[in-house]
Amino acid sequence: MPEIALAPPTDLFRLETDRWTAPFWEAAAQGRLAVPRCGACGTFRLPPTPFCPACRSQALDWVTLSGRGTLYAFTVVRRAGLPGMEGHIPFVPAVVELPDADGARLVTNIVDTPIAEIRIGMSLALVWRRTADGTQVPRFCAADTHHLTEREP
Amino acid sequence: MSGFHPLRDRTAIVGIGATPYYRRGQSAPRTMIELVGAAIIAAIDDAGLRIADIDGFAFYSGGFDTGLLMETLGIPEVTFTASITGAGGGSAGAVGLAASAIVSGAARTVICVGGLQQIGQRFGAITASYAATPETAFFASAGLIGPGHLFALLASRHMHLYGTTREHLAAVALNARANALATPHATMHRPLTREDYFAAPMIAEPHCLFDFCLENDGAIAAVVTSAERARDLRHRPIHVMAGTHGGAREWGRSLYWMNMPDETFASSGNAAIARRLYAMAGIGPEDIDIAQFYDHFTSQVIMQIEDYGFCAKGEGGPFAASGAIAVDGTLPINTDGGQLSGGYIWGMTHIREAVEQLRGTAANQVAGAEVALVTGGPSTLPVSGLILRR
Ligand SMILES: [Zn+2]
């Protein structure tokens, strides 16, 4: 049995939003990965913030992405650092680059993927998972499994 | 020496005081303010000054309650009390803040003090304890419970880009332990072998148990005054050649942002500090005799070696594994065992050890050490650095 990346424990997570981040989470609740792009100069930014760091504009376009990702960095957590984590080991926190958002990055997890196959630079596909508080959060798995084709028209 | 900087060599560290380095939680029933007060009293005694001479505090990470310290220790009046923002990143920079206060005339005798007491909260799992905010929502669901997990992401990228290996990380951990063995006040006195390192539990790849720093309780204080006044005091003055804090936007919130440009992501975020520090001091990396790097994680030591220009970008791993960082190497680092094996008081141990080395009184004394680099924790900005000379 290959070792598979599990979902991390999320019982400590509680979603807080403000007017700048709420559209991300509202789209997520509908199963859409939407990221903000400056309405004036076109620069993507993550996480969402009140001003464009390139031009200070507050105008935003929320762009729904394809769900393609590229693995930029990752770690395999193999020890339960907090009580209650034991059943979630191993899990794989990751930084994922979004090619259709000019390489803006998300901090997320790789799930449902054999750990031995996880490599920086691999192609990833978006999947949605729920945290303990019911928030729908974006996760990623290897693109060569079924998920990406499932999402394409 | 090149250029001119108004802070260069104008102030000096003239006293150091420390409590024992307790293992996490073992300082009870001593209180935090008691530990901090004990370190300050010891530092003032070491300097040959009186408590009444203290007229300033330069803290980092919010510091301590100045009014309570004055009430507790009987300090009559302070004319400067300020803190660098952020967390352990400002530790080395607090000395630069003190120097600024002294050179500007705001104060004459400034205390830099750091202390830690981990009762009820482990710093190793601190990320999981942060209150939920709209900003934390973008990383808090990923199970990154502590800084060691977050820095593991940077380490993975460094390995990918430059071929850094766990052997390189091990070299940093083994060097720290070897130095701790001969340091009486260090926490770890059991030898560590390469076999022990590779047999240790993996926590967050590539960081195993021995890639993480210790978790201690304790406090350390330094007394900073003018170079002129320092000449008449008990110890040989340890001059502040340069001290600075801040950093570049490309690093920014770093661990909690993860959108640093690719050339900055796999770094310690200290490159901007290094440039300013060398310019302030009028020297370059080739002039540094010893370095006390903020070693919360072995991988970040390798990236600091690069950011401070001791080797080319990407070559920090082979540099560490070459033996250069040993007490008898070309760049002895963390000669007291650092935070990995000596003690973790949020960067203050590094200031203490640099002063001991430059006084010539260190346990692992490096012959002829005249110029020392001290760094503050790679973390969210500000980060900081300090160059001292005898
Ligand atoms: Zn813009």
Side-chain angles (χ1 to χ4, degrees):
Chain A
M1 270 282 286
E3 199 179 27
I4 301 292
L6 302 180
T10 59
D11 41 331
L12 289 175
F13 178 77
R14 191 168 51 79
L15 180 64
E16 286 285 330
T17 66
D18 60 24
R19 61 183 293 222
W20 298 101
T21 67
F24 178 94
W25 298 106
E26 286 159 10
Q30 301 164 3
R32 286 186 301 112
L33 180 60
V35 305
R37 185 178 62 195
C38 174
C41 78
T43 303
F44 282 94
R45 61 184 191 264
L46 274 175
T49 45
F51 301 94
C52 170
C55 77
R56 265 58 65 189
S57 169
Q58 294 197 276
L60 279 182
D61 297 321
W62 284 88
V63 181
T64 299
L65 305 182
S66 67
R68 287 187 301 124
T70 304
L71 185 57
Y72 185 79
F74 73 101
T75 178
V76 182
V77 177
R78 296 196 172 275
R79 186 139 117 161
L82 293 170
M85 281 176 63
E86 295 82 2
H88 299 265
I89 301 294
F91 63 89
V92 182
V95 179
V96 171
E97 230 169 35
L98 303 170
D100 40 358
D102 280 349
R105 300 182 204 130
L106 274 180
V107 180
T108 176
N109 293 90
I110 307 303
V111 294
D112 299 347
T113 300
I115 285 179
E117 293 174 16
I118 298 176
R119 298 270 184 282
I120 289 178
M122 74 188 294
S123 295
L124 300 168
L126 172 69
V127 291
W128 292 102
R129 292 289 182 272
R130 277 189 197 285
T131 60
D133 73 345
T135 306
Q136 186 138 269
V137 291
R139 304 297 195 213
F140 288 83
C141 64
D144 52 17
T145 56
H146 64 284
H147 301 275
L148 185 62
T149 48
E150 194 178 82
R151 284 185 55 82
E152 278 170 354
Chain B
M1 294 229 183
S2 61
F4 164 80
H5 193 281
L7 286 194
R8 186 192 302 165
D9 293 334
R10 297 281 305 280
T11 60
I13 297 178
V14 294
I16 287 281
T19 68
Y21 303 167
Y22 301 92
R23 286 172 189 262
R24 172 171 55 88
Q26 299 300 302
S27 59
R30 298 187 85 180
T31 64
M32 187 75 247
I33 205 75
E34 176 186 353
L35 295 171
V36 169
I40 293 171
I41 291 167
I44 283 288
D45 285 349
D46 183 54
L49 291 167
R50 298 169 310 130
I51 285 289
D53 292 322
I54 298 170
D55 61 1
F57 287 97
F59 299 118
Y60 60 100
S61 189
F64 300 95
D65 182 336
T66 298
L68 181 56
L69 284 173
M70 294 172 74
E71 178 184 329
T72 303
L73 296 175
I75 299 168
E77 184 176 2
V78 302
T79 56
F80 181 88
T81 174
S83 176
I84 292 176
T85 55
S91 55
V95 174
L97 180 63
S100 304
I102 291 159
V103 171
S104 73
R108 267 186 101 214
T109 308
V110 180
I111 297 289
C112 298
V113 60
L116 205 52
Q117 194 176 39
Q118 305 184 72
I119 295 174
Q121 174 60 56
R122 293 183 67 166
F123 275 62
I126 192 143
T127 313
S129 74
Y130 292 159
T133 70
E135 288 77 29
T136 63
F138 285 87
F139 62 82
S141 74
L144 293 156
I145 63 162
H149 297 64
L150 290 152
F151 277 111
L153 294 168
L154 277 56
S156 79
R157 188 77 191 166
H158 200 271
M159 291 172 138
H160 171 76
L161 289 175
Y162 307 117
T164 307
T165 66
R166 290 194 63 210
E167 290 284 354
H168 299 150
L169 306 187
V172 175
L174 298 185
N175 177 68
R177 183 61 59 92
N179 291 344
L181 295 181
T183 302
H185 59 263
T187 305
M188 304 303 279
H189 288 125
R190 194 175 60 238
L192 180 71
T193 66
R194 186 184 166 282
E195 290 65 38
D196 296 333
Y197 175 89
F198 281 98
M202 181 56 73
I203 296 177
E205 290 180 12
H207 288 159
C208 73
L209 179 68
F210 294 117
D211 295 306
F212 280 67
C213 69
L214 306 171
E215 295 176 297
N216 289 98
D217 293 356
I220 298 177
V223 185
V224 186
T225 192
S226 68
E228 192 175 38
R229 183 150 167 257
R231 282 197 288 272
D232 303 326
L233 296 179
R234 177 176 296 160
H235 290 285
R236 164 197 286 276
I238 304 304
H239 290 91
V240 179
M241 288 187 86
T244 190
H245 67 271
R249 190 261 173 188
E250 286 69 26
W251 181 253
R253 227 157 35 95
S254 62
L255 303 174
Y256 305 110
W257 180 40
M258 293 293 182
N259 274 264
M260 301 83 96
D262 197 38
E263 58 275 20
T264 306
F265 186 93
S267 83
S268 71
N270 271 245
I273 291 294
R275 278 193 297 278
R276 278 186 43 222
L277 210 54
Y278 290 136
M280 281 178 82
I283 64 171
E286 64 283 1
D287 300 308
I288 301 289
D289 297 319
I290 55 163
Q292 311 297 334
F293 288 120
Y294 195 104
D295 52 342
H296 42 8
F297 305 103
T298 54
S299 54
Q300 279 293 310
V301 172
I302 286 169
M303 294 183 223
Q304 286 175 82
I305 289 170
E306 297 171 1
D307 280 355
Y308 280 91
F310 295 107
C311 65
K313 184 72 194 160
E315 291 174 11
F319 183 94
S322 72
I325 62 174
V327 169
D328 61 356
T330 54
L331 181 72
I333 75 164
N334 300 5
T335 43
D336 63 341
Q339 301 184 134
L340 292 164
S341 283
Y344 173 72
I345 318 280
W346 258 18
M348 290 301 295
T349 55
H350 296 316
I351 297 173
R352 174 189 189 180
E353 174 65 7
V355 170
E356 296 279 9
Q357 286 284 347
L358 298 181
R359 284 179 177 175
T361 55
N364 291 304
Q365 184 61 47
V366 174
E370 292 191 358
V371 180
L373 171 69
V374 183
T375 70
S379 182
T380 178
L381 292 186
V383 294
S384 66
L386 174 68
I387 296 177
L388 301 173
R389 75 162 176 84
R390 59 184 293 167

